[in-house]
Amino acid sequence: MAMSALPDLDSLKLLVDVGELGSLGRAARAAGIAQPSASKRIVQLERGLGVPLIERTPRGSTLTSEGKMVAGWAAQVLAAAEELMRAVQAVRHREAVHLRVVSSMTVAEYLVPRWLGELQNREPEVQVGLDVINSADVAARVLAGEVELGFVEGPGLPDGLAGRVVGTDRLVVVVAPGHPWARRRTVLRAPELAATPLVVREPGSGTRETLDVAFRGLHRAGPRLELGSNSAVKGAAQAGVAPAVLSGYAVESDVATGRLVEVPLAGVNLVRNLRAVWRRGRPLTGPAATLLSIASRP
Amino acid sequence: MAMSALPDLDSLKLLVDVGELGSLGRAARAAGIAQPSASKRIVQLERGLGVPLIERTPRGSTLTSEGKMVAGWAAQVLAAAEELMRAVQAVRHREAVHLRVVSSMTVAEYLVPRWLGELQNREPEVQVGLDVINSADVAARVLAGEVELGFVEGPGLPDGLAGRVVGTDRLVVVVAPGHPWARRRTVLRAPELAATPLVVREPGSGTRETLDVAFRGLHRAGPRLELGSNSAVKGAAQAGVAPAVLSGYAVESDVATGRLVEVPLAGVNLVRNLRAVWRRGRPLTGPAATLLSIASRP
DNA sequence: GCGCACTCATAGCCACAGGCTATGACCTCA
DNA sequence: TGAGGTCATAGCCTGTGGCTATGAGTGCGC
């Protein structure tokens, strides 16, 4: 199924702005371009999607009903894109940073950008730096005092660190839609899973740790493939290499859209806590404290 | 805060592909472009974000640790964009459609695209048409037999319709961060909210119905502004026009990033069910039945 | 009733982004 | 040592997307 050309984010933003500002011209000014350029872009977007999006009148433009829908979906795409940009900002500059945070992959990808966004919102003057590394290394860096605050997933809390749970995650087993397990009629049980070669994250990652702890004492097959990022693992699973075990956050949308199928699993607890950690005896101050309070909130 | 230019979705897709395929050339072929073009794009992306993304070696390219992170975030953006495209596909063609579905706004924006995606995945030959209209009109169209299946939010289930709950949603009160309510120390109670002019959706919408039912019997102020889409209401609230009442789905990401602040509310139940509805006595068949089973699953 | 102020669309121009092919440098393995 | 893979560079060309200038339509107020 060919994926009919992705839309252009600037045009989507423009569409959303037209909806909110009520006129093409105003939206153009908001985007810093001239009115005719905006007009052309919208026409192009309409042609590309094959749907009329805005209702032009001599005193402004409003979204058609299709336009409202597209704008709604577009807003979600844009929110995700802005999250990406925020996270990249935090990752980029290694100097002139007032708050340095380290985080393991899963928390970083799915939760930290939002927290950083809100921190930025509350204290715009704070420059945040974010490093994404393994859970094991996060603990080491925090212990060494190189960073004030870290986020980790996984079962244990190393000595010398204080922590607070800021969320939970559940590991799930997923397979490609064509895999036999996608249609199995019996529930998968831990021993069978443990004895199956899997696509998994690398040792030292929080995901892998959790899995290893859960399988302790069972007869285990070696991994079929070890990969260093959630999306690589997902890709391999989708390609049918083998079943994969991954964070529920990571596969949520793939399962929802049927690109991957979740295999129900019984008899083993793969829920794990996501924790903020800092050095015991060194209470957080300033922006680090603010970030912790943001993260712990809901 | 200027929003440092949105990234280009094709380049992001390319980056993700490099991560999954292990080489620039293969990713280029997957994208249907020549290898040098892909190379240039990635360089540009790296320049744009200010972060090195891939590690070039003579036998392939792998993502740097920053690259893995960016790819993870990019995958989320792409998933949202694909959801948009799927939804637009379903909205577009009004002819040659095998299954026609109507849905009210909130369900359509936040849940229906995923269900359609999975339906498409299971039964690729089915052409799906989606109309997004008010809850009230959904009921009318389903009753009239114009469409087999509809999705509505809101309290009541009209006579003549059968339905099944496929999810729940909670209305929330949100204000701009600068609004006095963002810092109020006392919990907001229903009578005060009812007596406040609000930004709300138009009459006939599921959101509005739910609100009106919840406020029945209270002294009410007229709305400050009535708008026809969730994003318009959000925009007005963000601009500080007045507090808004909206679906929790709609404001989730805005609240998480601090663009809007949720005001805790006591003494009134604003949880509502999202229902699939069809004509009583006419059981669903074919693709409509499949879609219902997809929607009811988790 | 006639401009004025606002909408959006069209036309024509220009620059550059992003595609292509051709080629070269580098590494690995048979 | 050559074959087969990697990626980068160079040079070319097209089309996209920006701009200004202008026209056409609507409503408002003098």
Side-chain angles (χ1 to χ4, degrees):
Chain A
M1 66 176 170
M3 217 185 5
S4 59
L6 294 162
D8 158 30
L9 290 188
D10 294 309
S11 302
L12 294 183
K13 175 104 179 79
L14 198 60
L15 176 70
V16 171
D17 279 355
V18 169
E20 280 175 9
L21 301 176
S23 115
L24 256 174
R26 269 198 290 277
R29 251 169 288 142
I33 63 177
Q35 169 265 320
S37 311
S39 179
K40 214 190 334 184
R41 278 197 102 114
I42 294 289
V43 169
Q44 249 161 325
L45 187 61
E46 288 177 316
R47 270 220 324 269
L49 298 180
V51 166
L53 296 173
I54 80 178
E55 187 90 41
R56 284 91 163 158
T57 81
R59 23 194 268 271
S61 295
T62 59
L63 301 182
T64 62
S65 68
E66 293 96 335
K68 282 183 207 164
M69 300 156 44
V70 174
W73 291 310
Q76 298 179 63
V77 179
L78 292 169
E82 283 163 27
E83 210 162 271
L84 183 157
M85 294 308 286
R86 262 199 307 279
V88 169
Q89 290 307 327
V91 160
R92 194 165 49 156
H93 276 115
R94 313 199 151 267
E95 69 279 340
V97 165
H98 302 131
L99 170 61
R100 173 151 297 281
V101 173
V102 292
S103 167
S104 62
M105 284 273 180
T106 303
V107 196
E109 285 190 10
Y110 299 94
L111 298 172
V112 170
R114 307 192 160 191
W115 299 336
L116 292 186
E118 176 149 11
L119 177 64
Q120 210 53 228
N121 209 287
R122 288 205 208 165
E123 310 189 5
E125 76 289 355
V126 174
Q127 284 273 351
V128 187
L130 169 67
D131 277 353
V132 179
I133 49 185
N134 265 341
S135 279
D137 297 336
V138 169
R141 300 267 297 266
V142 173
L143 263 178
E146 293 173 40
V147 299
E148 257 194 293
L149 186 59
F151 293 98
V152 298
E153 58 237 16
L157 188 60
D159 276 354
L161 289 187
R164 180 188 297 173
V165 173
V166 294
T168 64
D169 184 25
R170 190 173 57 93
L171 294 191
V172 298
V173 182
V174 291
V175 296
H179 191 280
W181 283 11
R183 285 182 188 74
R184 60 180 286 152
R185 321 186 58 103
T186 59
V187 166
L188 180 63
R189 307 207 143 260
E192 180 179 1
L193 181 62
T196 305
L198 299 170
V199 185
V200 290
R201 287 286 306 278
E202 81 285 3
S205 64
T207 302
R208 178 63 174 276
E209 283 289 303
T210 305
L211 194 62
D212 289 345
V213 167
F215 282 171
R216 189 157 292 163
L218 295 174
H219 171 67
R220 296 203 58 187
R224 175 73 192 281
L225 205 54
E226 277 180 357
L227 296 166
S229 78
N230 285 333
S231 34
V233 173
K234 279 187 344 191
Q238 246 163 63
V241 172
V245 178
L246 272 176
S247 153
Y249 282 114
V251 299
E252 189 176 16
S253 79
D254 302 84
V255 168
T257 60
R259 277 191 294 267
L260 287 172
V261 176
E262 180 180 341
V263 183
L265 178 66
V268 58
N269 181 17
L270 291 180
V271 173
R272 59 188 176 157
N273 289 321
L274 307 175
R275 284 192 178 81
V277 295
W278 58 93
R279 238 164 76 182
R280 183 174 302 285
R282 196 169 85 169
L284 298 175
T285 59
T290 309
L291 185 56
L292 176 61
S293 80
I294 290 172
S296 345
R297 203 176 37 179
Chain B
M1 75 180 165
M3 219 191 357
S4 60
L6 294 161
D8 158 30
L9 290 187
D10 294 310
S11 302
L12 293 183
K13 174 105 180 77
L14 197 60
L15 176 71
V16 171
D17 279 355
V18 169
E20 280 176 10
L21 301 175
S23 115
L24 256 173
R26 270 198 289 276
R29 251 169 287 140
I33 63 178
Q35 170 265 319
S37 311
S39 180
K40 216 192 331 185
R41 278 198 101 115
I42 294 288
V43 169
Q44 249 162 326
L45 187 60
E46 288 176 318
R47 271 220 325 267
L49 298 181
V51 166
L53 296 172
I54 79 178
E55 187 91 39
R56 284 89 164 161
T57 83
R59 25 193 266 270
S61 295
T62 59
L63 302 182
T64 61
S65 68
E66 293 95 336
K68 283 182 204 164
M69 299 154 43
V70 175
W73 292 311
Q76 300 179 61
V77 179
L78 292 169
E82 284 164 26
E83 209 162 90
L84 183 158
M85 294 307 287
R86 264 199 307 278
V88 170
Q89 290 307 327
V91 160
R92 193 166 48 157
H93 275 116
R94 315 201 149 265
E95 69 279 343
V97 165
H98 302 131
L99 170 61
R100 173 151 297 283
V101 172
V102 292
S103 168
S104 62
M105 285 270 180
T106 303
V107 196
E109 284 190 10
Y110 299 94
L111 299 171
V112 171
R114 309 193 155 189
W115 299 335
L116 293 185
E118 176 149 9
L119 178 63
Q120 209 54 227
N121 209 287
R122 288 204 207 167
E123 311 189 3
E125 75 289 356
V126 174
Q127 284 274 354
V128 186
L130 169 67
D131 278 352
V132 179
I133 49 186
N134 264 341
S135 278
D137 297 336
V138 169
R141 300 266 297 266
V142 173
L143 262 178
E146 293 172 39
V147 299
E148 256 193 292
L149 186 59
F151 293 97
V152 297
E153 57 236 15
L157 188 61
D159 276 353
L161 289 187
R164 180 188 297 175
V165 173
V166 293
T168 64
D169 184 24
R170 190 173 56 93
L171 294 192
V172 298
V173 182
V174 290
V175 297
H179 191 280
W181 284 10
R183 286 182 185 71
R184 61 181 285 151
R185 324 186 55 105
T186 59
V187 165
L188 180 62
R189 308 207 143 261
E192 181 180 359
L193 181 62
T196 306
L198 299 171
V199 184
V200 290
R201 288 286 307 279
E202 81 284 3
S205 64
T207 302
R208 178 64 174 275
E209 282 289 304
T210 306
L211 194 62
D212 288 346
V213 167
F215 282 170
R216 189 156 294 161
L218 295 175
H219 170 66
R220 297 204 57 188
R224 175 74 194 281
L225 205 56
E226 277 181 357
L227 296 166
S229 79
N230 285 333
S231 35
V233 172
K234 280 190 337 193
Q238 248 163 61
V241 172
V245 178
L246 272 176
S247 153
Y249 283 114
V251 298
E252 188 176 17
S253 79
D254 302 83
V255 169
T257 60
R259 277 191 293 270
L260 288 172
V261 176
E262 180 179 340
V263 183
L265 178 66
V268 57
N269 180 17
L270 290 179
V271 174
R272 59 189 177 157
N273 289 323
L274 307 175
R275 283 195 177 80
V277 296
W278 58 91
R279 238 165 75 181
R280 182 175 301 285
R282 197 168 85 168
L284 298 176
T285 58
T290 309
L291 185 58
L292 177 60
S293 80
I294 290 172
S296 345
R297 207 177 33 179

